[in-house]
Amino acid sequence: MKTTARVRLEPWSEDDLDLLRRTNTPEMTKHLGGPETEARLIDRHRRYLEIGDTGRVFRVVLDPGGEVAGSVMYWEREWRGSTVWEMGWAVLPEFQGRGIAGAATLAAVAAARAERRHRYVHAFPSVDNPGSNAICRKAGFEQLAVIDFEFRGSVLRCNDWRLDLAAS
């Protein structure tokens, strides 16, 4: 994936609850079943802070400038008989269309690869989310299938994208 955006990933911190709130809009969650309640956001923020060695959650920071543009994360999931990383990202609307999500995804893939814990990372964007599916394609993920995927109590029609972290 060729991108001109320069980002750095910083570990999720106590101060990032507001970022989580900013990504919890109807526009940002239309492919995820809609916004969450404040109580669920606070619970998710706590889980992000306590993720330990079962994954990584990052805020995406523009370099140079230092503006916080969104988040990217990966976490362990059991999938089809194996433990894999699952990956997701969210870039605030004012930063979309500039290659930031792609650059952040590549940086998170590099971090997951460096951990040498799991061979594969998967992403499950909605079939109706052209932006996230394009990120997967451009980042070198292979589309395996269209699946029904349970997320936050809803069943979503998603693509199963996989990237082999052992490949060069």
Side-chain angles (χ1 to χ4, degrees):
M1 172 189 296
K2 182 177 165 111
T3 180
T4 57
R6 290 186 42 203
V7 301
R8 69 179 182 271
L9 304 184
E10 296 179 352
W12 195 261
S13 75
E14 198 64 56
D15 295 335
D16 291 318
L17 178 57
D18 185 57
L19 173 59
L20 200 53
R21 287 181 178 121
R22 291 177 62 204
T23 63
N24 192 47
T25 65
E27 176 186 10
M28 291 286 297
T29 61
K30 69 182 174 186
H31 299 294
L32 302 172
E36 294 180 280
T37 65
E38 179 70 8
R40 285 189 170 192
L41 279 182
I42 290 169
D43 183 55
R44 184 154 50 106
H45 177 59
R46 181 193 51 73
R47 287 193 320 270
Y48 286 0
L49 291 169
E50 297 172 357
I51 197 164
D53 65 354
T54 62
R56 302 286 175 260
V57 182
F58 304 100
R59 74 177 153 267
V60 177
V61 180
L62 299 186
D63 204 13
E67 298 160 284
V68 176
S71 62
V72 65
M73 63 209 65
Y74 57 90
W75 61 94
E76 287 183 331
R77 152 178 290 287
E78 291 300 314
W79 188 246
R80 308 224 161 139
S82 298
T83 304
V84 300
W85 293 122
E86 181 179 343
M87 180 173 283
W89 50 84
V91 171
L92 296 166
E94 63 267 31
F95 297 104
Q96 292 177 7
R98 297 170 32 189
I100 294 166
T105 298
L106 290 175
V109 163
R113 181 176 281 127
E115 293 202 36
R116 299 180 187 269
R117 290 191 49 198
H118 304 300
R119 179 169 179 180
Y120 297 108
V121 61
H122 285 254
F124 300 99
S126 166
V127 296
D128 298 323
N129 187 336
S132 285
N133 284 291
I135 289 165
C136 291
R137 189 177 307 105
K138 291 175 184 177
F141 285 69
E142 171 190 16
Q143 185 179 6
L144 299 180
V146 175
I147 59 170
D148 289 328
F149 193 83
E150 186 175 339
F151 185 74
R152 296 183 192 160
S154 298
V155 176
L156 307 175
R157 194 82 172 141
C158 297
N159 287 309
D160 178 3
W161 291 92
R162 181 181 75 182
L163 182 71
D164 186 345
L165 295 173
S168 57

